[in-house]
């Protein structure tokens, strides 16, 4: 099984940015943990702060070669109709993830342009949200 994790804006600052919300672990450190834990899954990781690059990556991965896309679009979740449309246009299933519980934060974070077109949504479990998303692809039943 081949799964790609696509992270959006500011997720390159994990471990530095708001550690009380996002923790002190960098995503690169956590990605190594995921690769060790899910040895039978070919995991890839991509991060961009640029909306169009995220859309291009979804297009690149959205038709063949991947069984799943795990997307944490960061703030673009709440603003990007384009990312939502890109997910609608591809065939590879997408699971939306968030490290924090977006419903426990500012009101603007309660709206997602991704949730209506995603296979599922996982939020509020810290970096473990990524583990749960991987599990969702492994346990299809």
């Amino acid at each position: 099984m081949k799964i790609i994790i696509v992270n959006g804006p500011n997720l390159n600052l994990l471990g530095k940015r708001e550690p009380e919300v996002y923790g002190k672990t960098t995503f690169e450190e956590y990605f190594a943990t995921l690769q060790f834990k899910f040895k039978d899954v070919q995991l890839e990781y991509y991060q961009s702060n640029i909306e169009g690059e995220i859309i291009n990556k979804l297009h690149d991965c959205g038709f063949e070669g991947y069984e799943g896309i795990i997307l944490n679009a960061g703030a673009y979740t709440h603003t990007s109709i384009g990312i939502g449309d890109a997910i609608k246009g591809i065939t590879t299933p997408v699971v939306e993830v968030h490290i924090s519980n977006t419903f426990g934060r500012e009101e603007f974070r309660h709206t997602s342009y991704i949730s209506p077109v995603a296979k599922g949504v996982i939020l509020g479990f810290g970096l473990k949200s990524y583990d749960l998303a991987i599990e969702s692809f492994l346990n299809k039943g």
Side-chain angles (χ1 to χ4, degrees):
M1 176 168 283
K2 188 173 174 182
I3 297 172
I4 186 166
I5 297 170
V6 178
N7 277 343
N10 300 310
L11 289 160
N12 57 306
L13 297 178
L14 288 177
K16 299 174 188 169
R17 174 187 173 218
E18 298 177 86
E20 68 282 359
V21 174
Y22 299 107
K24 295 182 179 179
T25 304
T26 68
F27 194 79
E28 290 76 9
E29 292 167 340
Y30 199 73
F31 186 68
T33 301
L34 291 173
Q35 288 176 306
F36 182 79
K37 181 176 180 179
F38 297 100
K39 292 178 182 166
D40 294 335
V41 178
Q42 184 180 342
L43 290 173
E44 293 181 17
Y45 169 56
Y46 177 80
Q47 189 278 327
S48 178
N49 293 316
I50 302 169
E51 181 179 21
E53 290 180 359
I54 294 167
I55 292 169
N56 287 340
K57 183 54 82 172
L58 291 169
H59 292 173
D60 291 345
C61 302
F63 294 100
E64 56 185 62
Y66 294 86
E67 282 74 34
I69 299 170
I70 298 168
L71 175 62
N72 183 343
Y76 288 140
T77 300
H78 321 292
T79 64
S80 180
I81 295 167
I83 290 175
D85 284 348
I87 295 166
K88 273 195 257 184
I90 63 176
T91 57
T92 303
V94 174
V95 171
E96 175 185 356
V97 300
H98 297 283
I99 296 166
S100 67
N101 176 357
T102 56
F103 292 99
R105 298 183 66 194
E106 303 94 338
E107 176 120 6
F108 73 87
R109 295 186 196 274
H110 300 183
T111 299
S112 170
Y113 288 102
I114 295 167
S115 297
V117 293
K119 172 187 171 193
V121 180
I122 301 168
L123 54 90
F125 294 98
L127 290 172
K128 295 273 184 212
S129 296
Y130 293 92
D131 298 61
L132 295 169
I134 294 167
E135 292 284 350
S136 76
F137 286 113
L138 296 175
N139 302 313
K140 294 180 183 178

